[in-house]
Amino acid sequence: MAAGVAPAPAPAPTPATVEWTGRAGEIVGDSPLMRELLAQVEQYAPYDEVVLITGETGTGKELIARQLHASGPRAKGPFTAVNVATLDAATAASALFGHIRGAYTGAEAHRLGAFRSSEEGTLFLDEIGELSPDLQARILRAVELKEIVPLGEDRPRHVDVRVVAATNRDLATMIREGTFREDLYQRLRQFPLRISPLRERPDDIPLLTRHFLRRWNRRYDTLIDIAPEAIAVLQDYHWPGNVRQLENVLKRLCVPLRPDGTITGEAAGAILADEESSWEGRHSRRDARPPGTAHAPPSGPEPRNLTTANPVDLRSILEETERGWYRAALGATEGNQAEAARLLGLNPPAFRKALRDRFSDLLE
């Protein structure tokens, strides 16, 4: 996917085909929005301050974070990426802050944790909006004081780390809902970066398309090209999955072609019609309240039916009701566990733990 901008690209590209290549990867584009973003990256890179990157899924937030690291004074240090939504609730604090041997059951060896592993480098915290309240407080201390307390230790340890955070969620709304700390939000957004969705910069699509086709041709030793009308079709699409979706669509278009084939407008239109149908199905199910008929949770007996002659097993009813909502959320998101957790207002690690421990049949 798209990434990185070199601090001093050479030779300078012509305005019609801007493609920056840096140690972190490549960002391809020449739209005013991309030029503004890249200028901000270059402005922020030298300063050892927290950066908050916001943008929809598939826009390349980690690649921008890597470029901030590669363009700054910590470039020779480590870059550690942690997706906090994937951390298990029971071990998340250890993964981030480390532990000493014997800190808890199963802690058989010392663990540095992500902060200490990133010493003199950059720690990228992706999906920061999924942090539990306890971890939010710990992250705030680490960012403000540059101190952490590994599990099992009493004294704080100093950490020399630059933190870059990212999210695709509306943290301001989460603050109003009481699910995200305002003090942490204010601390994280010292240097904000917003990555525009692809639909706001269609002029970048031809450049991105050529970039991904070159990558495909190099990898598979082919000479696949794309017709102008196919590029026009791609530019007319709204790309809810952004650059990642564009790359995946181009791969699907390349697979059935001969090594020297050309992607046609008709082929691009057919693939995008399928993409749109799939997206609308997911979107409509996600917005339904309650979930649609195909994924509706079960309903238990009405309390008015409860009599001494007709007792109920409330635990079983609640268990089956919860299972039904889990099933509905997974169905509405086509198995995306993080999205399903958000639909139910749950923390993704807690959702995953419940699936493993109580509803493992839903994973089959």
Side-chain angles (χ1 to χ4, degrees):
M1 198 184 311
V5 50
T14 61
T17 57
V18 177
E19 181 170 327
W20 292 266
T21 301
R23 284 165 289 180
E26 297 167 336
I27 279 187
V28 179
D30 193 31
S31 64
L33 289 172
M34 285 306 302
R35 286 185 173 274
E36 181 181 352
L37 172 65
L38 293 169
Q40 283 185 293
V41 168
E42 290 303 289
Q43 288 174 349
Y44 293 172
Y47 299 99
D48 202 28
E49 303 294 336
V50 181
V51 176
L52 177 62
I53 304 171
T54 57
E56 296 178 3
T57 297
T59 50
K61 294 183 286 294
E62 180 175 339
L63 298 175
I64 289 294
R66 288 183 178 277
Q67 188 53 44
L68 280 164
H69 171 75
S71 300
R74 294 178 177 267
K76 293 183 179 180
F79 177 92
T80 306
V82 177
N83 186 324
V84 299
T86 66
L87 297 179
D88 184 271
T91 59
S94 171
L96 291 170
F97 308 112
H99 65 248
I100 62 173
R101 182 178 180 182
Y104 57 87
T105 302
E108 299 178 355
H110 292 286
R111 183 178 189 180
L112 286 178
F115 271 89
R116 293 172 67 194
S117 297
S118 307
E119 278 285 336
E120 300 184 354
T122 300
L123 174 59
F124 175 58
L125 298 175
D126 197 8
E127 298 198 44
I128 194 76
E130 309 305 328
L131 282 173
S132 67
D134 174 63
L135 288 179
Q136 289 180 34
R138 290 171 177 254
I139 293 290
L140 177 62
R141 177 190 178 100
V143 170
E144 283 191 331
L145 304 178
K146 290 191 176 294
E147 289 182 351
I148 64 166
V149 181
L151 299 184
E153 292 194 1
D154 298 325
R155 293 180 299 177
R157 288 177 176 264
H158 176 77
V159 286
D160 178 18
V161 175
R162 182 183 192 177
V163 173
V164 178
T167 184
N168 60 7
R169 303 192 67 184
D170 185 346
L171 296 184
T173 297
M174 293 180 66
I175 291 170
R176 291 193 295 271
E177 295 172 345
T179 56
F180 199 82
R181 296 178 62 116
E182 184 169 8
D183 48 3
L184 177 57
Y185 174 67
Q186 295 299 336
R187 200 70 178 84
L188 291 175
R189 69 182 303 272
Q190 292 177 345
F191 286 8
L193 284 174
R194 175 183 178 268
I195 306 179
S196 301
L198 190 54
R199 63 181 174 275
E200 293 182 5
R201 44 189 181 94
D203 290 347
D204 287 337
I205 290 175
L207 296 177
L208 286 163
T209 298
R210 298 289 182 187
H211 168 74
F212 289 134
L213 285 181
R214 284 196 301 272
R215 179 185 292 179
W216 178 275
N217 287 332
R218 284 196 301 267
R219 180 173 183 180
Y220 295 106
D221 194 23
T222 56
L223 296 171
I224 292 175
D225 200 358
I226 185 167
E229 59 268 24
I231 290 181
V233 170
L234 297 179
Q235 285 185 287
D236 285 340
Y237 189 60
H238 62 108
W239 299 108
N242 293 291
V243 179
R244 183 183 298 135
Q245 184 186 16
L246 173 62
E247 182 178 14
N248 290 338
V249 163
L250 288 168
K251 288 178 179 179
R252 290 179 62 190
L253 286 166
C254 287
V255 166
L257 293 177
R258 298 191 312 271
D260 60 348
T262 298
I263 298 171
T264 65
E266 181 181 3
I271 288 286
L272 291 181
D274 180 65
E275 288 282 312
E276 184 67 9
S277 176
S278 175
W279 166 256
E280 286 182 349
R282 294 194 303 272
H283 188 69
S284 62
R285 289 194 295 271
R286 185 178 296 119
D287 287 347
R289 298 291 188 273
T293 304
H295 305 289
S299 58
E302 290 291 331
R304 62 175 177 270
N305 296 328
L306 183 65
T307 67
T308 55
N310 185 31
V312 298
D313 184 344
L314 182 59
R315 287 191 180 87
S316 296
I317 291 172
L318 293 177
E319 181 85 2
E320 284 307 305
T321 300
E322 188 176 5
R323 179 191 302 275
W325 282 105
Y326 271 64
R327 182 185 293 110
L330 288 168
T333 59
E334 296 189 349
N336 186 316
Q337 294 181 20
E339 287 295 323
R342 294 187 191 107
L343 275 182
L344 299 178
L346 299 175
N347 182 272
F351 181 89
R352 293 188 181 94
K353 187 176 189 302
L355 279 178
R356 289 195 307 269
D357 296 348
R358 297 161 54 210
F359 308 130
S360 59
D361 58 298
L362 299 180
L363 298 173
E364 297 176 355

